[in-house]
Amino acid sequence: MSFELPKLNYAYDALEPHFDARTMEIHHSKHHQGYTNNLNKAIAGTDAENKTIEEILANISKYDVAVKNNGGGYYNHNLFWENISPDGGGKPEGKLLEAIEKNFGSFDEFKALFEKAAATQFGSGWAWLIKNGDVLRVVSTSNQECPLMDTAKDKGDILLTIDVWEHSYYLKFQNRRPEYVKTFWEVVDWKKVAERFNS
Ligand code: MN3
């Protein structure tokens, strides 16, 4: 069994003017494809070949670092493409909004915390909104680590994520990561986040 690059549910230019087509194309067809290919190489001949990506991540400490880097890269990007959409933006509603308000005070306070986590993650990594029972938390991880890994400091079910590697914003935003993070809100698919929250 081998992992495949997922198709996007939208065209590379569908998130314009927020996320530019060139970045989307390179990010998906080069970077994510690279993680996918290298994950398949890294698991070849190991017991990970017969496991789901979630099973691999949950036991990532058992595997070679190449499985961690590329398995995280493969999975994190799958989540990232899913939680953005040309129909995104706005704000969450219903039970998800209530949970955000209960845990962070208000939607704006949550956004500020998430922006800070994304902007201050040193070097490459990801920021996350995760859930442990009724508790929602904003956390960040380095490189391709993810909250499903047994090595993660902050573990939990993933509701929302943003890639803050430079390859996700440099062509359009150069070194202005905070501006990229603010733009992210224009494309967040809150329906998808709510699906994850309710499942
Ligand atoms: Mn990336």
Side-chain angles (χ1 to χ4, degrees):
M1 192 184 90
S2 64
F3 292 101
E4 283 183 21
L5 181 70
K7 288 204 166 53
L8 301 187
N9 294 322
Y10 39 80
Y12 289 134
D13 64 0
L15 303 177
E16 295 269 10
H18 310 298
F19 285 6
D20 64 291
R22 185 80 178 125
T23 299
M24 291 294 292
E25 181 179 0
I26 295 171
H27 200 173
H28 179 255
S29 71
K30 306 289 186 199
H31 290 276
H32 197 183
Q33 182 73 65
Y35 290 117
T36 308
N37 296 346
N38 288 329
L39 172 61
N40 287 326
K41 276 185 214 153
I43 63 173
T46 76
D47 73 347
E49 272 189 313
N50 303 310
K51 294 195 185 333
T52 65
I53 188 65
E54 288 86 357
E55 288 168 338
I56 294 171
L57 299 181
N59 296 285
I60 204 70
S61 58
K62 282 179 26 187
Y63 297 105
D64 192 85
V65 68
V67 179
K68 179 172 185 175
N69 290 339
N70 294 293
Y74 172 74
Y75 184 75
N76 295 349
H77 286 91
N78 290 356
L79 296 181
F80 182 61
W81 306 132
E82 273 178 17
N83 71 199
I84 56 180
S85 157
D87 305 317
K91 58 189 289 194
E93 346 179 299
K95 287 199 159 57
L96 173 60
L97 179 61
E98 281 171 31
I100 286 174
E101 289 173 343
K102 183 170 163 242
N103 280 272
F104 303 106
S106 67
F107 180 54
D108 284 343
E109 282 171 276
F110 155 70
K111 277 169 70 180
L113 202 64
F114 190 88
E115 286 174 21
K116 188 177 172 203
T120 60
Q121 165 59 38
F122 185 75
S124 297
W126 298 72
W128 310 85
L129 172 64
I130 62 172
K131 180 172 178 278
N132 303 89
D134 290 338
V135 178
L136 303 189
R137 284 187 298 156
V138 169
V139 299
S140 61
T141 59
S142 294
N143 299 317
Q144 295 297 357
E145 185 149 274
C146 121
L148 297 191
M149 291 181 177
D150 62 351
T151 52
K153 180 164 66 70
D154 299 297
K155 298 181 189 64
D157 299 325
I158 297 159
L159 303 184
L160 175 70
T161 190
I162 183 172
D163 187 347
V164 295
W165 284 59
E166 281 188 347
H167 65 230
S168 43
Y169 61 88
Y170 206 85
L171 282 180
K172 182 176 165 92
F173 298 95
Q174 291 82 51
N175 60 333
R176 304 187 305 278
R177 189 195 287 184
E179 199 180 313
Y180 157 70
V181 177
K182 280 206 185 295
T183 303
F184 174 69
W185 300 123
E186 303 295 331
V187 295
V188 169
D189 185 349
W190 288 108
K191 285 202 191 84
K192 173 55 76 175
V193 180
E195 262 174 47
R196 291 181 189 158
F197 176 78
N198 292 320
S199 73

